[in-house]
Amino acid sequence: MPEAPWWKRGVVYQIAVSSFADANGDGRGDLRGIIDRLDYLNDGTDGSLGVDAVWLTPIYTSPLSDFGYDVSDYRSIDPRFGTMEDFDELVEECHRRGIRVVMDLVLNHTSIHHPWFVESRSSRDNPRRDWYIWRDGRAPGKPPNSWVAVVEGSAWEYDDTTGQYYYHAFLPFQPDLNWRNPEVREEMFGVARFWLAKGVDGFRLDLVNCLYEDEGLRNNPPKLGPRPYLAQKHIHDLSQPENLEVAGELRQLVEDFGDCVLMGEVLTLTPDVCIDYLGDGTDRLHLSFYMEFVRTKWNAEAFRHSVRWLEEHVPPGGWPCYYLNNHDLKRSFTRLGGRHARERAKVAAAMLLTLRGTPILYYGEEIGMPSSRVPRGLLDDPVGLKFWPLRVGRDGSRTPMHWNAAENAGFSAWESWLPVDSSYRTRNVEQEAVRADSILNWYRRLLSTRRAHPALHSGDYREIGGVPKGVFAYTRRAGSKTVAVYLNFAARNTECPPPKAPPGTTWRVLLSTHGTEDGRDLPRIQLAAHEALLLEATYS
Ligand code: GLC
């Protein structure tokens, strides 16, 4: 059997660059900070985390009004993150350790400060006018249509200079590029080539199903919904068929550079849209983010369903992708955790790292970082500021990484750009590294076990039926090797049936949150409260 490509076998680690490690002491994370910490991510031994790729949040020149998702130059590095030389060194140092580098590519919109937009807004006949989407209002004070931005409010912003409106799917300072203009398309493909030529291993595509809008800008039909954005059927502003063509063209483009990956953020309430972006598994994105998984509550049956749905819908040549955290979500430690947060974090990690699919970790998840409460006066996230205090923004999941118990959690020598969460004193890399039963060491063990057992990274997935309520169990099988995974979501002991197997099969404990102790009365599977248990089959 040929070995699966790295992006199927491997584990991706998302670095929120502003928050990972600050080497220059300005209070914000930077590229040199990441270089200094690469051994933590993978030094080739089981003592490190052992990830296969890093995905960096945007590091392009930007006003950083939305965490870098507001780019003002796609071909340079923002000086707050470092220089192009730092970037080249980062890529080289990553590759030396077998870590791939995935950049975040924001194709849908730029910053209002991007020179293209500055030109575009300057006059109606500027050559760049058509690089963005400008329209007259329906009547004085009335935007061109009824589209609502993802973050609420009209998706149209009136601009005095020329008396027209421009379209923005997200915030008003993030004007949408006009993908119907072939020059825009060519330019953005050129940006992708620029970074691939510098050696990056692929892209995470921001809002990839938002690139095109209906050509006639027709209104979306209304539907019942708790807030204006959710009270429209987004059939004309999202997920237009032309986006799929772009996905296909980009796939060819990145594959011309070798074994590169495209992983797409598909913004949708209906999971089938994320499947569309996989095509037949070979002709569109390599990986597409499955949002249902992060909408699932702490419930074994709900996760089993969510996984079953994806398993049934991923095209035969395609590959699932799972994550529990990112820079837009409340951290899973807090979201799923409750009273048993530490125990649940371990069960959740075991699930994430043993399902069939590429797992994406988010910095700090591996040490059980919680979502922080950032006081109003220190908020940075424009969404958090807009909705405060009605909705919690995203700063809580973007606070600095906890490296140690020193001041500023070892993140920075200077006061950090967002406050460090107070849990850093007892929950940090240095302390977690030496505690045998820490969350960090559990992640490390899971990753090394995963690496050592092809069934876990490349094998088939099959549910184990007949398990008691609160348990999610499945097997992963590659060739003659099978690993069974039992996850007890409940806070009580329970007993499960053994996996179906040919006569003569014996099972041994590969890994357990509760120790790989001997004396287990296999094949009766007794699970302790919140136990995650991995068994390996041997056939006589
Ligand atoms: C994506 C990013 C988010 C950003 C938005 C606008 O959803 O993940 O952080 O604010 O796009 O670019």
Side-chain angles (χ1 to χ4, degrees):
M1 214 168 69
E3 205 184 35
W6 69 267
W7 52 268
K8 285 189 175 176
R9 277 177 284 131
V11 176
V12 179
Y13 185 92
Q14 182 191 355
I15 296 182
V17 180
S18 285
S19 301
F20 193 61
D22 171 22
N24 69 3
D26 66 354
R28 187 182 282 276
D30 46 44
L31 300 180
R32 297 221 72 83
I34 301 175
I35 296 172
D36 293 345
R37 300 291 183 173
L38 286 178
D39 280 345
Y40 166 75
L41 295 179
N42 196 344
D43 68 0
T45 74
D46 287 350
S48 70
L49 194 54
V51 299
D52 304 273
V54 288
W55 145 26
L56 308 176
T57 55
I59 50 176
Y60 316 100
T61 301
S62 159
L64 299 186
S65 301
D66 181 21
F67 213 47
Y69 289 93
D70 49 332
V71 179
S72 55
D73 179 3
Y74 287 90
R75 296 176 191 237
S76 65
I77 304 286
D78 191 279
R80 284 163 287 185
F81 296 129
T83 62
M84 198 55 99
E85 289 68 42
D86 295 334
F87 179 77
D88 291 338
E89 191 178 327
L90 172 65
V91 173
E92 199 182 314
E93 287 297 317
C94 282
H95 287 170
R96 210 162 59 77
R97 291 169 175 80
I99 304 174
R100 316 273 175 151
V101 180
V102 176
M103 302 266 288
D104 213 313
L105 194 54
V106 191
L107 297 173
N108 181 64
H109 51 261
T110 68
S111 156
I112 40 167
H113 299 295
H114 197 299
W116 302 336
F117 188 73
V118 174
E119 282 186 44
S120 183
R121 85 189 314 178
S122 66
S123 74
R124 289 195 188 204
D125 55 9
N126 185 281
R128 296 232 199 253
R129 184 67 169 179
D130 193 41
W131 277 46
Y132 295 83
I133 302 160
W134 292 97
R135 289 292 186 283
D136 290 328
R138 272 172 294 173
K142 288 215 163 197
N145 69 16
S146 64
W147 292 352
V148 177
V150 178
V151 283
E152 303 299 340
S154 171
W156 296 93
E157 186 77 1
Y158 182 72
D159 194 47
D160 269 342
T161 326
T162 53
Q164 282 194 313
Y165 289 82
Y166 64 87
Y167 173 66
H168 57 89
F170 211 71
L171 283 154
F173 61 78
Q174 292 161 313
D176 271 48
L177 283 161
N178 177 16
W179 273 79
R180 295 194 183 277
N181 180 337
E183 286 174 11
V184 167
R185 212 173 152 116
E186 245 338 282
E187 173 62 32
M188 297 314 274
F189 285 4
V191 167
R193 279 192 212 97
F194 173 83
W195 293 101
L196 290 163
K198 290 188 79 57
V200 308
D201 303 283
F203 301 105
R204 176 265 186 190
L205 302 175
D206 192 57
L207 300 176
V208 64
N209 62 324
C210 301
L211 306 184
Y212 279 81
E213 298 75 32
D214 173 54
E215 206 161 6
L217 304 179
R218 282 172 288 178
N219 283 334
N220 287 321
K223 70 174 180 86
L224 286 177
R227 51 190 164 89
Y229 187 76
L230 298 177
Q232 294 191 355
K233 287 187 194 155
H234 292 277
I235 57 170
H236 294 313
D237 55 344
L238 291 186
S239 310
Q240 301 300 295
E242 292 89 341
N243 299 325
L244 299 173
E245 282 169 31
V246 172
E249 285 173 37
L250 275 173
R251 171 104 178 209
Q252 281 179 8
L253 189 157
V254 302
E255 290 190 345
D256 283 349
F257 285 82
D259 213 1
C260 296
V261 72
L262 287 177
M263 28 194 245
E265 180 198 31
V266 182
L267 185 75
T268 170
L269 292 171
T270 44
D272 18 322
V273 181
C274 112
I275 299 298
D276 293 344
Y277 283 77
L278 294 174
D280 68 6
T282 62
D283 59 348
R284 291 179 187 158
L285 306 185
H286 302 82
L287 302 171
S288 150
F289 294 173
Y290 179 44
M291 297 202 170
E292 286 309 294
F293 201 65
V294 288
R295 294 185 182 126
T296 302
K297 299 253 184 315
W298 186 254
N299 177 303
E301 290 69 29
F303 274 108
R304 183 193 306 141
H305 263 97
S306 181
V307 170
R308 187 186 297 167
W309 190 93
L310 193 58
E311 281 288 334
E312 283 170 359
H313 288 83
V314 164
W319 193 245
C321 173
Y322 293 101
Y323 60 102
L324 289 167
N325 290 286
N326 67 30
H327 62 291
D328 295 329
L329 295 170
K330 189 185 260 192
R331 282 186 179 270
S332 60
F333 190 85
T334 308
R335 196 177 75 237
L336 301 173
R339 242 182 346 118
H340 302 285
R342 277 181 53 81
E343 292 82 356
R344 287 183 178 184
K346 290 185 179 177
V347 175
M351 173 174 69
L352 183 64
L353 292 163
T354 61
L355 284 172
R356 188 181 81 106
T358 305
I360 306 180
L361 308 180
Y362 180 55
Y363 85 97
E365 166 182 339
E366 74 278 18
I367 53 170
M369 269 176 71
S371 266
S372 199
R373 274 175 196 274
V374 178
R376 167 79 176 88
L378 297 174
L379 291 180
D380 181 84
D381 171 26
V383 178
L385 285 162
K386 176 167 175 167
F387 293 109
W388 191 89
L390 298 176
R391 268 160 67 184
V392 186
R394 301 170 295 178
D395 288 316
S397 56
R398 299 173 177 182
T399 56
M401 176 71 172
H402 304 174
W403 293 104
N404 55 42
E407 210 176 339
N408 301 316
F411 163 76
S412 172
W414 184 247
E415 197 181 329
S416 52
W417 75 286
L418 277 181
V420 175
D421 186 77
S422 58
S423 62
Y424 81 94
R425 289 189 196 87
T426 51
R427 208 176 297 153
N428 58 61
V429 170
E430 205 172 280
Q431 291 176 8
E432 289 267 306
V434 294
R435 267 186 37 204
D437 72 340
S438 68
I439 295 180
L440 176 59
N441 280 320
W442 176 242
Y443 270 83
R444 286 175 173 167
R445 283 205 292 278
L446 280 167
L447 273 133
S448 68
T449 308
R450 180 188 158 92
R451 239 188 336 272
H453 292 82
L456 281 176
H457 56 69
S458 305
D460 299 343
Y461 165 90
R462 187 166 299 178
E463 271 177 28
I464 297 176
V467 293
K469 197 165 172 294
V471 174
F472 178 21
Y474 45 89
T475 53
R476 301 291 316 281
R477 182 186 180 125
S480 62
K481 303 278 187 200
T482 303
V483 175
V485 180
Y486 286 83
L487 306 168
N488 186 3
F489 279 57
R492 57 174 184 278
N493 302 349
T494 189
E495 187 170 327
C496 295
K500 286 205 179 65
T505 308
T506 52
W507 296 92
R508 82 175 179 93
V509 176
L510 202 56
L511 198 63
S512 159
T513 39
H514 290 59
T516 47
E517 75 273 19
D518 302 327
R520 280 209 189 232
D521 187 14
L522 296 170
R524 277 174 65 215
I525 310 227
Q526 280 163 332
L527 295 176
H530 295 126
E531 178 168 7
L533 173 69
L534 274 64
L535 302 174
E536 187 187 23
T538 46
Y539 308 99
S540 53

